[in-house]
């Protein structure tokens, strides 16, 4: 089968298409003939070498989520999965392939009417957005700022916050055109990347969902209301300064809080239930899976170049 591997950490040119033996599912696994592979921000971080300390080595196959049909099952797996269209989580890698392995506990059937591309746009991003907002204890009537709203996680956070009754959903983004697209998805105020914007924007926010992190993250503590909560659900701009917490301590009387959130802390069954609900909502047209572009598997390097350049609105999908 064709697979994309990281031959050398660094730029997208380090990705290469290779031929590998077709995998055989072990006990508790299924084999999925992939129709769609999601390209996530974490894939670009792994490729860059930024996560090498987590055990990712050269030769690693990126990709954490796929969708397609189950073609084989391992021992202990119900054979009724055979032939079913599913979404599957492959973990921290293993997705940029024509045939992917996934634990059966991380596989969900796709509802009729939901495309494979939509599934890999919603599966991981939707869960992170849902549980990130829950981690922030967002309540109806509160104000929300989504920092870095043009990616798949940010887009889902905007839609879910709006559906959850937020009084205002502000977004930071890089252009007026992107801002207008986000308004159609539920944003009420469009700000620039520094958090500045229209005169009618809220002066402060009860919740900030931050997909970006990076050196500018501490400045956004100034935009939290008293008892405000910032939750980092990503770090596409890298780690924040080591002393970022001093901003919170300097505003001690505002009782602000900061938390990081990873979907790895959510029980598998709960993740599956939420993903299933999001898939069903998308199939009914209640939420939108925003696919930026579908590219052939062999153009994974181009997908990463587009990600690195900040050209993507939504999610790029690879089609083996």
């Amino acid at each position: 089968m064709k697979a994309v591997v990281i031959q050398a950490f660094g730029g997208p040119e380090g990705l290469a298409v290779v031929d590998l033996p077709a995998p055989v599912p072990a006990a508790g696994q299924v084999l999925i003939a992939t129709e769609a592979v999601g390209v996530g921000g974490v894939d670009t971080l792994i490729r860059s070498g930024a996560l090498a300390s987590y055990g990712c080595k050269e030769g690693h196959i990126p990709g954490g989520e796929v969708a397609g049909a189950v073609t084989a099952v391992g021992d202990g797996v119900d054979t009724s999965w055979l032939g079913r269209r599913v979404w599957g989580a492959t973990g921290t890698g293993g997705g940029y392939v024509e045939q992917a392995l996934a634990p059966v506990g991380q596989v969900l059937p796709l509802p009729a009417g939901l495309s494979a591309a939509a599934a890999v746009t919603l599966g991981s991003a939707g869960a992170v957005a849902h549980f990130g907002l829950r981690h922030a204890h967002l309540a109806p009537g509160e104000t929300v700022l989504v920092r870095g709203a043009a990616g798949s996680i940010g887009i889902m956070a905007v839609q879910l916050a709006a559906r959850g009754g937020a009084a205002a959903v502000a977004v930071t983004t890089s252009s007026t055109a992107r801002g207008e697209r986000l308004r159609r998805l539920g944003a009420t105020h469009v700000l620039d990347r520094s958090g500045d914007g229209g005169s009618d924007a809220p002066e402060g926010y009860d919740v900030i969902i931050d997909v970006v992190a990076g050196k500018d993250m501490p400045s956004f503590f100034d935009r939290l209301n008293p008892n405000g909560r910032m939750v980092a659900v990503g770090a596409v701009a890298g780690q924040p300064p080591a002393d970022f917490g001093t901003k919170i301590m300097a505003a001690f009387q505002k009782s602000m809080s900061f938390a990081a959130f990873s979907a790895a802390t959510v029980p598998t069954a709960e993740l599956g239930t939420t993903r299933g609900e999001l898939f069903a909502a998308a199939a009914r047209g209640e939420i939108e899976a925003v696919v930026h572009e579908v590219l052939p598997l062999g153009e994974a390097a181009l997908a990463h170049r587009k990600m690195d350049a900040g050209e993507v609105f939504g999610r790029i999908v690879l089609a083996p």
Side-chain angles (χ1 to χ4, degrees):
M1 69 171 183
K2 299 294 184 184
V4 176
V5 302
I6 301 172
Q7 286 192 332
F9 288 127
E13 66 278 1
L15 295 173
V17 180
V18 300
D19 288 305
L20 294 176
V24 176
Q29 290 183 325
V30 302
L31 183 65
I32 301 169
T34 53
E35 299 171 23
V37 180
V39 179
V42 69
D43 299 344
T44 64
L45 289 173
I46 290 172
R47 183 218 73 225
S48 73
L51 300 183
S53 61
Y54 288 82
C56 298
K57 300 177 181 179
E58 292 179 348
H60 179 82
I61 298 172
E65 60 183 318
V66 302
V70 175
T71 57
V73 299
D75 290 344
V77 178
D78 193 325
T79 56
S80 66
W81 283 105
L82 289 169
R84 298 181 75 179
R85 292 181 66 251
V86 299
W87 173 92
T90 59
T92 57
Y96 288 18
V97 293
E98 292 179 321
Q99 299 181 64
L101 294 171
V104 70
Q106 297 278 6
V107 171
L108 289 173
L110 297 184
L114 187 71
S115 70
V120 298
T121 299
L122 290 173
S124 292
V128 170
H130 171 88
F131 288 105
L133 288 165
R134 191 180 76 171
H135 205 65
H137 302 287
L138 175 66
E142 290 191 314
T143 54
V144 182
L145 170 62
V146 180
R147 181 175 177 233
S152 53
I153 295 174
I155 286 171
M156 285 307 304
V158 168
Q159 294 186 73
L160 296 180
R163 290 182 83 210
V169 183
V171 295
T172 69
T173 189
S174 60
S175 71
T176 301
R178 289 185 170 201
E180 288 307 310
R181 295 184 70 180
L182 288 163
R183 284 187 187 276
R184 292 195 292 271
L185 293 166
T188 57
H189 300 83
V190 177
L191 314 177
D192 63 21
R193 283 180 169 174
S194 67
D196 296 322
S199 58
D200 63 338
E203 292 185 6
Y205 301 91
D206 301 305
V207 168
I208 296 177
I209 299 296
D210 189 353
V211 188
V212 182
K215 64 181 179 62
D216 295 327
M217 190 189 82
S219 68
F220 282 82
F221 287 123
D222 296 334
R223 302 182 185 278
L224 281 176
N225 288 333
N227 297 305
R229 294 88 69 195
M230 181 189 291
V231 176
V233 298
V236 296
Q239 295 294 330
D243 63 349
F244 75 88
T246 58
K247 272 277 191 178
I248 297 176
M249 298 304 292
F252 196 87
Q253 291 182 320
K254 290 180 69 176
S255 299
M256 300 184 300
S257 60
F258 170 82
F261 170 75
S262 167
T265 60
V266 180
T268 300
E270 195 171 356
L271 276 172
T273 298
T274 295
R275 284 173 173 143
E277 291 170 351
L278 291 171
F279 290 161
R284 293 191 299 266
E286 296 169 7
I287 57 175
E288 183 178 344
V290 179
V291 178
H292 177 83
E293 187 176 8
V294 178
L295 294 172
L297 180 67
E299 294 190 19
L302 175 60
H304 278 233
R305 281 195 291 273
K306 290 174 179 281
M307 292 280 287
D308 288 354
E311 299 175 3
V312 179
F313 185 88
R315 172 148 291 189
I316 291 183
V317 174
L318 300 176

